[in-house]
Amino acid sequence: IAALDFIISKGASLGAEEVIIGMAHRGRLNVLSNIMGKTYEQIFNEFEGTAIPDLTMGDGDVKYHKGYSSEITTAEGKKVNLKLMPNPSHLEAVNPVVEGFVRAQSDRQYQYDFSKIIPILIHGDAAVAGQGIIYELAQMSKLPGYNTGGTIHFVINNQVGFTTDFDDA
């Protein structure tokens, strides 16, 4: 959370206008609340089923798979648009969605100025070792049609991965 906060603030001070985040469940509610400013009331209403769903960010198969969008103001007074992309139960499937969204925004909104938008992907350690989609993204990242100017990858050592034992990762 502290690292995300710093990256968003530093990025905004360097001219970034948007940050697009893709991640699995672990820590997602924490990011929604502490980074994106979603209130506890909003979060709990969704779990209770009393909230009116905004289907533009996905209704999700589980409440914490939903996406969210907000605008925050950094300590330096810079406004930044944040998006946490919705993801299905296949946790790393959100990665190419983030990269595709970032590339489309860079092309259309920012005229190929990759400094205006920051993609951040948060992975569990077992997913990096056990799922090829992360390596496929890295392989494609230098191709002209897929380049986003760079992506920040957080690999969280959660030691609870189901695809591989952490000793083997």
Side-chain angles (χ1 to χ4, degrees), residues 3 6 22 27 31 52 58 81 84 117 120-122 127 134 150 154 165:
F6 177 81
V31 169
I52 299 169
N81 290 309
L84 179 62
I117 186 166
I120 299 175
L121 296 174
I122 304 172
I134 299 167
F154 278 103
D165 188 298

Side-chain angles (χ1 to χ4, degrees), residues 86-98 131 133:
N87 70 316
S89 286
H90 189 295
L91 307 177
E92 298 295 329
V94 72
N95 298 341
V97 174
V98 168
Q131 296 185 28
I133 194 166

Side-chain angles (χ1 to χ4, degrees), residues 35-102:
I35 295 296
M36 304 194 69
K38 190 170 190 177
T39 66
Y40 294 131
E41 183 180 17
Q42 289 172 301
I43 292 168
F44 291 128
N45 281 341
E46 288 173 355
F47 276 94
E48 291 173 3
T50 56
I52 299 169
D54 173 9
L55 299 180
T56 60
M57 291 304 283
D59 65 345
D61 54 335
V62 177
K63 298 299 182 208
Y64 46 80
H65 286 183
K66 293 172 69 167
Y68 189 70
S69 182
S70 65
E71 182 179 81
I72 64 162
T73 304
T74 68
E76 293 181 353
K78 304 277 186 180
K79 291 195 181 300
V80 185
N81 290 309
L82 304 176
K83 285 183 181 53
L84 179 62
M85 299 304 274
N87 70 316
S89 286
H90 189 295
L91 307 177
E92 298 295 329
V94 72
N95 298 341
V97 174
V98 168
E99 298 296 336
F101 185 91
V102 168

Side-chain angles (χ1 to χ4, degrees), residues 4-33:
L4 280 176
D5 184 52
F6 177 81
I7 289 167
I8 292 165
S9 296
K10 186 66 173 177
S13 72
L14 295 172
E17 298 177 15
E18 280 188 80
V19 175
I20 312 301
I21 303 170
M23 66 183 299
H25 340 305
R26 183 141 306 142
R28 193 172 179 91
L29 295 176
N30 200 357
V31 169
L32 283 166
S33 175

